[in-house]
Amino acid sequence: MLLLSLTWPSVAQAHVERFAVLVANDQGASDEAQLRYAESDASRMYDVLRDLGDFAPVNMVLLRNEHADTVRSTLIAVNERIREAMSLPDTQVVLLVYYSGHADAESLHLGGTKLAIRELTQLVRGSAASFRLVVLDACRSGALTRLKGGRVVAPFALGDDASLAGDGLAFLTASSANEDAQESDELGGSFFTHALVSGLLGAADQDGDGNVVLDEAYRYAYDATLRATSRTFAGTQHPSFRYDFRGQGELVLTRPQSYAQQRASLVFPQGMSFLLMREHADGQVVAELSEHAGSHSLSVRPGRYFVRARSAQVLYEGALAAAAGTTTAVDVDRMTRIEYARLVRKGGSDAHVAQGLEAGARVRSVLPNAATACVGGFVGYGLDWTHFGLRARASACTSQFDNAPLHAVTNAYDLELRLQHAWDLSRVSFELGLGGGASLLTQRFETAGRAADRDSLAPFLALGAGAGIDLSHGFYTGLDLAAETHFLSLADASPQAPRTQVSFAMRASLLAGKRF
């Protein structure tokens, strides 16, 4: 994808005209997979340049799903308008070109047609604009800016000595010469453009002066793209940057602070990363703020937003309203806290497993070796992965049997292992699992006659279901129900050997735990 950046020269009293051509196509060559977000990436770039970059809509062209001939003729027409603007006294002109789509080291792929990057660079170089910026967010786009000894190398027509010709020319690319630029379904866009837009909204303002300059925007996009793609299947993606603005001063891309009265400012706490969506949790991703961001403020359009904050072990989610001309501090204490285990189950944590300790009271219905329910308690240890969890519990309970000549006490010591799956809904989690274990049964008798104590081992199977509520700081409470099938060894007064009886029981557990 190709991005054209917004700039201001540091020339006093000069009138600046800003022109932008933004090109996007989800369709590439016939053998290339269709992109999902190239055209929406271009729309996001269009919005941020228009809203925060002083680009008049009359000077902006957004081409979506157009072929190479249309892109070529548009650039030629814009260059004609730039020549007319430059003929006016005390006028500076900025040209910004953005492309989002498929490409290789030689051409942009536009819906079955191709525009040679050599021709694109010639059209940009041939512009009369004082400042010309080109950004490619496309596969292997880094061949345009790959450096060797501080010089740009071929294959593109960048001059006979492969250097940047003249002042006021810059190239930004999303990947190196041999890398694929990547899209993200979670972000709803490419990693690079998403990071760049977030930076232009204010996250890249390293010095806190209210402006985002080109160097700040690139460094923020580079770091954010590196971090995000380091965890993807395709591997780390390395944006690249080459520019020459000799004698021109810093290049300002956006000015979030200057638009504070028309827009809303959101200020985020440090030490966390934030994802900002429009209106609700499934809304369009507006921006992402890294915990490493130089600024913790974003300039956004007035409206309702959904915020997702992530620390090392906890996720926070909540909605907020942002009014024009106001500054809103994002307070995670007012948001819903999603504990570590849920974060792992949602695949939203760098860690792959969460663990915890739990304990509680439990009661099991009557079995044939007693006349009362078995009442006791348990301790347990749990592991949660992305798709399933494992629970190990040790319990003890006591039941009794009484008739006229005999009183018996049965103690059960159980070890149980259960594999289960969890569904997280708001603060409540539901679990369903299958497992089993064994009970050590000890029976002690009191009678006028003689009755020997009896010990036996009884395996059992269990189908369990439970519900839990997250409290805070990793603590939770819940209720667990299990249907159990026991294989009991029973003996009576006859001289025959003990017999095995299949018996069914229900067990209920009230529990509390702490995840870490």
Side-chain angles (χ1 to χ4, degrees), residues 3 6 30 44 57 71 100 139 158-159 165 224 234 246 304 322 326 370 400 409 436 454 471 481 489 491 507 509:
L3 168 70
L6 165 66
S30 59
R44 293 175 65 192
V71 176
S100 170
C139 298
L158 300 177
R246 287 170 289 182
R304 293 194 60 81
T326 64
Q400 299 183 24
V409 175
R454 185 177 300 154
L471 302 176
L481 298 175
S489 177
R507 176 149 53 183
S509 303

Side-chain angles (χ1 to χ4, degrees), residues 281-300:
D282 297 321
Q284 180 188 16
V285 175
V286 176
E288 185 174 17
L289 190 70
S290 165
E291 66 270 26
H292 306 287
S295 169
H296 293 273
S297 176
L298 292 177
S299 173
V300 298

Side-chain angles (χ1 to χ4, degrees), residues 445-462:
F445 302 97
E446 296 179 11
T447 179
R450 299 183 60 184
D453 294 342
R454 185 177 300 154
D455 297 334
S456 62
L457 192 66
F460 64 88
L461 299 174

Side-chain angles (χ1 to χ4, degrees), residues 51-63:
D51 294 348
L52 296 178
D54 284 353
F55 279 82
V58 69
N59 290 341
M60 302 182 74
V61 180
L62 176 59
L63 299 177

